[in-house]
Amino acid sequence: MSAESQAKALGIKFTDDVEKGYLKMVARVGDTLITSGHVSDIKGKLGQDLTVDQGYAAARECGVSILQSVHQEVGSLDGLKVVKLLGMVNSSLDFTDQHLVINGISDLFHEVFGKDGDGFHARSAVGFAQLPTGVAVEVEAIFEIA
């Protein structure tokens, strides 16, 4: 199944008529797509207000938003390879499971693009004392266009 078909089978909807915002959500440089940070709707601090499972869901939300932005930029998910993710987690000082939170987006991209194929990616998962507007997770992504 293609990445586009797999995303749709997972219930991800694409509307390519989203109004442009203040910043470009995806910048294209040659065959590379670099996304702006996409934030979760879920707010709160991991290790204080939120559980790892709630953080995982927040990271997955970011993944869906990234896929929608990338789709709007290039018109399809087919022919894309996930290169790198930077996952930022709003964390209490003693929270050390950022990697488990960011698995939410990694697992989504493995489902859509294939874990052993175009979805296999490099990743960083780091904790921050605070993120804009108190969101739980923010993620940036880099894709290659085949």
Side-chain angles (χ1 to χ4, degrees), residues 49-141:
D49 309 314
L50 301 173
T51 66
V52 169
D53 287 342
Q54 290 170 310
Y56 181 99
R60 191 171 177 99
E61 279 183 358
C62 294
V64 169
S65 294
I66 287 171
L67 294 176
Q68 290 168 334
S69 292
V70 166
H71 192 279
Q72 181 164 357
E73 180 68 22
V74 296
S76 176
L77 300 181
D78 295 339
L80 298 181
K81 177 178 177 48
V82 185
V83 176
K84 172 81 163 79
L85 300 177
L86 169 60
M88 298 161 272
V89 180
N90 187 352
S91 303
S92 65
L93 290 177
D94 59 347
F95 185 77
T96 59
D97 286 334
Q98 289 84 359
H99 62 294
L100 299 177
V101 169
I102 300 304
N103 282 349
I105 186 171
S106 289
D107 289 347
L108 173 64
F109 285 5
H110 289 161
E111 289 177 63
V112 171
F113 296 101
K115 184 174 183 180
D116 297 321
D118 291 333
F120 194 55
H121 55 272
R123 184 186 87 181
S124 299
V126 294
F128 281 75
Q130 192 56 270
L131 292 173
T133 70
V135 299
V137 177
E138 181 172 354
V139 181
E140 298 175 355

Side-chain angles (χ1 to χ4, degrees), residues 6-36:
Q6 185 61 31
K8 288 179 180 175
L10 291 170
I12 299 173
K13 295 181 178 21
F14 300 106
T15 56
D16 293 334
D17 59 351
V18 177
E19 189 176 321
K20 291 185 180 182
Y22 178 70
L23 299 172
K24 191 165 180 59
M25 295 309 291
V26 179
R28 184 174 182 168
V29 180
D31 291 334
T32 302
L33 301 173
I34 304 166
T35 74
S36 290

